[in-house]
Amino acid sequence: MVAFGKKLKERSIEEWQEYYINYKLMKKKVKQYGPQIEVGSLDRRHVLKDFSRMLDHQIEKIALFMLEQQGLLSSRLQKLREWHDTLQDEPDLSQIAKLREAYRAVGQDLLKLLFFIDMNAIGIRKILKKFDKRFGYRFTNYYVKTRADHPYSQLQQVFRHVGLGAVVGAISRNLHELQNNEGSYLSIYDQPVLPLQDPVVDSIKNAVDRLTHSTNFLNFMAQHALIMQDDEDLLMLPPDEQAEKEEGRYHFMSLLLNLANTFLYMVNTYIIVPTADDYSMSLGAAATVCGVVIGAMAVAQLFSSVYFSAWSNKSYFKPLIFSSIVLFFGNLLYALAYDFNSLALLLIGRLFCGFGSARAVNRRYISDCVPLKIRMQASAGFVSASALGMACGPALAGLLQTDFKIKNVTFNQDTLPGWVMAVAWLLYLVWLAISFREPAREPEEIHTSQESTSADQDGNIEKGLKKPLLLASEETEHDEEDDGDGSEESSDDSRKPANSFVAAYKLLTPSVKVQLLIYFMLKYAMEILLSESSVVTTYYFGWSMSSVSIFLFCLGLTVLPVNLVVGSYISNMFEDRQILLASEIMVCIGIVLSFHVVIPYTVPQYVISGFIMFVSAEVLEGVNLSLLSRVMSSRLSRGTYNGGLLSTEAGTIARVIADATITLAGFLGQSMLLNVTLLPSLIICVLSILATCYTYNSLY
């Protein structure tokens, strides 16, 4: 791949060359600082001051040119406004057509300016990354915070493209008024829902969307899905060409089928939780064997995530067909295990269900085939479908309270979850075969598309205008290094995606490892809470299966409201690292409150501590994955062994270990189960808090 500096040179607008960021000069200066610091001719303070001054000059050059171009566009729009006013008194269809073309010409020039801003914004972010990476400073945070908060901020001008909104509005409004040659002058302000049909307006909207990435609920939910985007994707095509290419691959029904697959799989995962202990005992095993029954699905998912991720390099339709068939038979075996009185058949059925986990394909489809302008909504839909499935699974189990036989086949609260899900997957398979459309793939497309890709990393610097970038500047040593003569080329090897777990692990920086440890911890704690809930509540409180289902259903319902509050409000009030640490501490408090020490264990204690633990873990997961999507090396945003797969495997391993812990703790007796399983959760949580504190103390 070609380095950014060469891309900037090739794709910059020729007559504006002198106004672009001088990326080559800045990179050369960063390279010179190293030897100067080593020999002692420069100290840290002087380097920071000199680099800040150079970057200030570059940003000032860009900002002043932007203002000049905005003025020229505004002058042209003012003249067109006068022309427009004369046509309102004496309408002339030929003149109206010419006026529309004149507005479109201004729109095309505005697109050039937006592309100019986009390239410079990426260049600024990349040079900040390079500086931090080479010297180990957290200069990006300091620079963005100090410049963005200043009343005369020129950085605001670049990253918030101040003033361009009025130009965009003028072009959009006037083209909208002129879209009917019959002289129907409807205002976009009077009818905001009326679609703007002019292609220039659509192109401008796409370009602005690429430049505007604020922290809100939708963005927060999208990052929950850990769908990352490589910078190279943003540089390959102009906005209108990229949108046209993406639209050719996008199919709404296929996206809906992927979201339905996500929903059904999460229902399938949690529908057995309220009855797993009862099912195990009916087959002659201990109640705590439910940990193995629930965890068998996660064990198989460790392997299925890899082969589905690789398979999605070539197809989306075939993996989904395979997934549906395997899940159908897995649930069938799960349901038949009761009549065969076979624990082995029960476990095989759950393993089959895990082997059918196509979440890697679902994420991949969103990242590869959904247009950028709606990818955030699709990613948020992925998270919402998962949360809804998690809530509906236990609720559905609570409704399946019946017991009858048809020709020696038993249908009761233990087997009905298997039968219901088998029918659901069969119906889904038919729908899939009829409605799914395999997207066209380019001949040269190998596996550069990524499993997970939604929250544009270039938006992170803009997001930093409200709060410091936590870790957005972090990259591995392999990313875009200079060669010996200081040229802009970077080797193909340094840009290739990882081809194994070992290679992917080597690309992880210390902060990324801490993020994965946090993810492991929260998944472990949540799995302990959910998987042992039936055994614990039956032992201490004598809860029925319906009561357990209601409790789990209520836990699942908290996911979307919690993310709404965090994404829309809390994340705008506090830094990500502050929310991260506070959430870890709250998870720890929830775990501590869950222990049964001396006093009698009560329902309020269990329910309140469970909600504290679960809700805090949900907040932690959102913030952690949001950060993780930004700190991963760009090489981990492509290929089979990508960042999404690593996080999935970390979470799945945590679930497997948690479920195994429940079963092993069962040998000590149900009276010891709660405390024995909570102790590892507490230890891992404390370790993650210490690792977080150590990491951020060393970085800031």
Side-chain angles (χ1 to χ4, degrees):
M1 277 193 176
V2 182
F4 172 76
K6 190 167 184 179
K7 288 181 183 292
L8 179 63
K9 185 177 180 181
E10 291 173 350
R11 298 176 185 180
S12 58
I13 300 167
E14 188 172 351
E15 60 268 27
W16 294 353
Q17 285 276 5
E18 61 184 294
Y19 302 107
Y20 282 89
I21 181 175
N22 195 332
Y23 184 78
K24 185 175 182 179
L25 173 66
M26 297 291 290
K27 193 171 74 168
K28 184 178 180 181
K29 193 68 176 177
V30 170
K31 190 175 181 181
Q32 290 174 350
Y33 286 141
Q36 291 173 337
I37 291 176
E38 289 178 4
V39 300
S41 59
L42 287 179
D43 60 10
R44 179 178 182 271
R45 186 181 297 273
H46 181 84
V47 168
L48 294 176
K49 182 179 179 180
D50 187 55
F51 187 73
S52 298
R53 181 185 56 80
M54 287 186 62
L55 192 54
D56 286 341
H57 288 173
Q58 293 292 318
I59 292 174
E60 181 179 271
K61 174 182 69 175
I62 297 166
L64 292 177
F65 179 73
M66 284 173 54
L67 290 172
E68 179 186 350
Q69 292 300 311
Q70 285 177 225
L72 294 175
L73 292 174
S74 299
S75 298
R76 292 169 62 186
L77 287 172
Q78 182 61 36
K79 292 178 181 178
L80 293 179
R81 177 73 261 171
E82 295 171 1
W83 185 7
H84 195 170
D85 289 341
T86 60
L87 290 177
Q88 285 184 321
D89 298 330
E90 300 178 4
D92 185 325
L93 294 182
S94 62
Q95 290 298 310
I96 289 175
K98 291 180 180 178
L99 180 59
R100 285 168 63 186
E101 291 304 316
Y103 272 115
R104 284 174 181 153
V106 177
Q108 292 293 344
D109 288 341
L110 175 59
L111 278 173
K112 288 170 57 179
L113 182 58
L114 289 172
F115 189 67
F116 169 84
I117 300 170
D118 193 22
M119 294 294 289
N120 280 291
I122 295 172
I124 293 169
R125 189 179 66 80
K126 280 187 169 288
I127 200 63
L128 286 168
K129 269 186 173 184
K130 188 171 286 293
F131 185 89
D132 282 357
K133 181 179 65 177
R134 187 173 291 273
F135 301 109
Y137 300 153
R138 305 309 300 167
F139 176 72
T140 298
N141 295 342
Y142 158 77
Y143 188 84
V144 173
K145 186 174 183 179
T146 54
R147 269 57 177 178
D149 292 341
H150 198 277
Y152 308 129
S153 171
Q154 293 174 323
L155 193 64
Q156 286 266 16
Q157 185 74 34
V158 177
F159 284 102
R160 288 201 180 279
H161 33 92
V162 178
L164 282 177
V167 179
V168 174
I171 295 172
S172 302
R173 184 182 65 81
N174 284 284
L175 280 175
H176 182 71
E177 289 181 357
L178 295 168
Q179 68 180 352
N180 293 322
N181 289 341
E182 291 80 8
S184 174
Y185 301 102
L186 298 176
S187 172
I188 60 173
Y189 306 117
D190 297 329
Q191 299 189 22
V193 297
L194 201 62
L196 301 175
Q197 299 174 349
D198 197 287
V200 172
V201 175
D202 289 337
S203 297
I204 292 173
K205 183 178 182 301
N206 291 334
V208 172
D209 286 344
R210 285 175 47 153
L211 287 170
T212 308
H213 300 285
S214 59
T215 304
N216 53 31
F217 172 56
L218 199 61
N219 191 23
F220 188 81
M221 291 291 288
Q223 291 171 328
H224 227 77
L226 195 61
I227 297 180
M228 304 173 299
Q229 179 146 319
D230 185 17
D231 288 334
E232 304 301 330
D233 295 335
L234 299 174
L235 298 173
M236 293 307 296
L237 293 171
D240 50 349
E241 292 182 28
Q242 181 170 335
E244 182 180 348
K245 175 184 174 183
E246 290 172 334
E247 288 289 351
R249 306 184 69 183
Y250 173 61
H251 183 228
F252 173 75
M253 189 58 69
S254 299
L255 172 62
L256 193 61
L257 281 160
N258 273 280
L259 296 180
N261 184 282
T262 299
F263 169 76
L264 286 176
Y265 186 78
M266 293 303 290
V267 171
N268 211 148
T269 300
Y270 290 99
I271 194 173
I272 73 155
V273 172
T275 59
D277 59 334
D278 184 66
Y279 204 165
S280 300
M281 289 190 294
S282 69
L283 298 179
T288 51
V289 174
C290 69
V292 173
V293 175
I294 297 170
M297 198 168 176
V299 171
Q301 192 178 343
L302 285 171
F303 303 97
S304 65
S305 297
V306 178
Y307 65 72
F308 272 117
S309 181
W311 201 350
S312 60
N313 289 324
K314 299 180 179 179
S315 173
Y316 304 101
F317 179 64
K318 292 178 181 178
L320 290 175
I321 288 287
F322 177 77
S323 166
S324 304
I325 294 173
V326 171
L327 280 158
F328 168 75
F329 282 108
N331 284 285
L332 197 62
L333 293 175
Y334 181 86
L336 291 173
Y338 188 92
D339 292 307
F340 282 91
N341 194 29
S342 173
L343 182 62
L345 193 62
L346 183 73
L347 294 175
I348 291 172
R350 289 295 288 178
L351 284 171
F352 266 59
C353 291
F355 284 129
S357 172
R359 288 172 66 82
V361 181
N362 305 145
R363 283 193 180 107
R364 184 73 172 263
Y365 184 87
I366 293 173
S367 70
D368 289 356
C369 304
V370 176
L372 183 63
K373 62 183 179 181
I374 63 168
R375 193 174 298 163
M376 188 176 294
Q377 290 93 321
S379 302
F382 175 86
V383 176
S384 301
S386 299
L388 189 61
M390 180 181 178
C392 289
L396 185 58
L399 297 176
L400 302 176
Q401 303 267 340
T402 186
D403 191 353
F404 62 92
K405 282 193 175 186
I406 299 178
K407 293 185 177 180
N408 297 323
V409 178
T410 304
F411 296 87
N412 58 23
Q413 65 178 19
D414 296 332
T415 63
L416 274 172
W419 290 116
V420 169
M421 292 311 303
V423 172
W425 285 113
L426 186 61
L427 294 175
Y428 175 81
L429 182 61
V430 174
W431 181 25
L432 181 69
I434 295 172
S435 303
F436 191 86
R437 187 178 76 188
E438 183 78 76
R441 291 177 177 267
E442 297 181 19
E444 68 273 15
E445 185 177 335
I446 313 286
H447 15 269
T448 57
S449 20
Q450 57 275 38
E451 177 196 355
S452 32
T453 319
S454 158
D456 287 328
Q457 295 178 4
D458 294 314
N460 294 327
I461 188 90
E462 190 271 340
K463 180 178 178 180
L465 295 173
K466 286 189 177 179
K467 58 184 180 230
L469 288 179
L470 178 61
L471 295 167
S473 63
E474 193 155 330
E475 286 222 8
T476 63
E477 295 178 358
H478 303 286
D479 184 26
E480 204 184 299
E481 284 293 334
D482 302 319
D483 53 28
D485 58 358
S487 70
E488 302 286 350
E489 296 288 345
S490 59
S491 67
D492 290 339
D493 289 341
S494 68
R495 302 297 300 170
K496 286 181 179 178
N499 55 10
S500 67
F501 279 116
V502 174
Y505 183 79
K506 290 179 179 178
L507 295 176
L508 302 181
T509 60
S511 60
V512 175
K513 293 175 182 177
V514 171
Q515 302 300 128
L516 290 176
L517 172 63
I518 294 171
Y519 192 63
F520 177 92
M521 178 274 292
L522 68 91
K523 284 297 182 183
Y524 182 92
M526 291 172 69
E527 188 72 9
I528 288 291
L529 173 65
L530 298 174
S531 295
E532 72 177 14
S533 58
S534 182
V535 180
V536 170
T537 55
T538 301
Y539 176 78
Y540 285 104
F541 318 126
W543 280 10
S544 65
M545 194 268 286
S546 298
S547 300
V548 178
S549 299
I550 293 172
F551 172 67
L552 295 176
F553 176 65
C554 292
L555 283 179
L557 286 181
T558 63
V559 175
L560 292 179
V562 165
N563 282 303
L564 173 63
V565 172
V566 175
S568 299
Y569 302 104
I570 296 179
S571 61
N572 289 324
M573 297 166 60
F574 302 97
E575 298 177 17
D576 284 353
R577 64 188 180 95
Q578 293 173 326
I579 303 174
L580 188 80
L581 187 57
S583 301
E584 286 182 273
I585 294 172
M586 289 305 298
V587 170
C588 189
I589 291 173
I591 294 172
V592 171
L593 293 177
S594 298
F595 276 93
H596 179 207
V597 189
V598 179
I599 60 175
Y601 205 56
T602 62
V603 172
Q605 180 185 352
Y606 178 77
V607 172
I608 292 173
S609 62
F611 268 90
I612 291 175
M613 188 194 311
F614 188 83
V615 170
S616 301
E618 277 298 321
V619 174
L620 181 59
E621 182 176 7
V623 177
N624 186 60
L625 290 183
S626 171
L627 292 172
L628 197 58
S629 69
R630 290 181 277 172
V631 302
M632 285 281 191
S633 165
S634 60
R635 292 176 62 188
L636 290 175
S637 64
R638 303 182 297 274
T640 300
Y641 300 92
N642 50 55
L645 179 62
L646 290 180
S647 63
T648 299
E649 294 293 272
T652 305
I653 291 172
R655 290 170 52 205
V656 170
I657 296 176
D659 291 323
T661 303
I662 294 172
T663 301
L664 293 175
F667 289 106
L668 301 175
Q670 292 190 26
S671 62
M672 299 287 291
L673 177 66
L674 182 66
N675 288 347
V676 170
T677 53
L678 286 175
L679 186 59
S681 300
L682 180 61
I683 294 172
I684 299 171
C685 187
V686 171
L687 288 176
S688 72
I689 292 173
L690 294 175
T692 302
C693 294
Y694 174 79
T695 301
Y696 294 130
N697 284 338
S698 64
L699 291 177
Y700 287 88

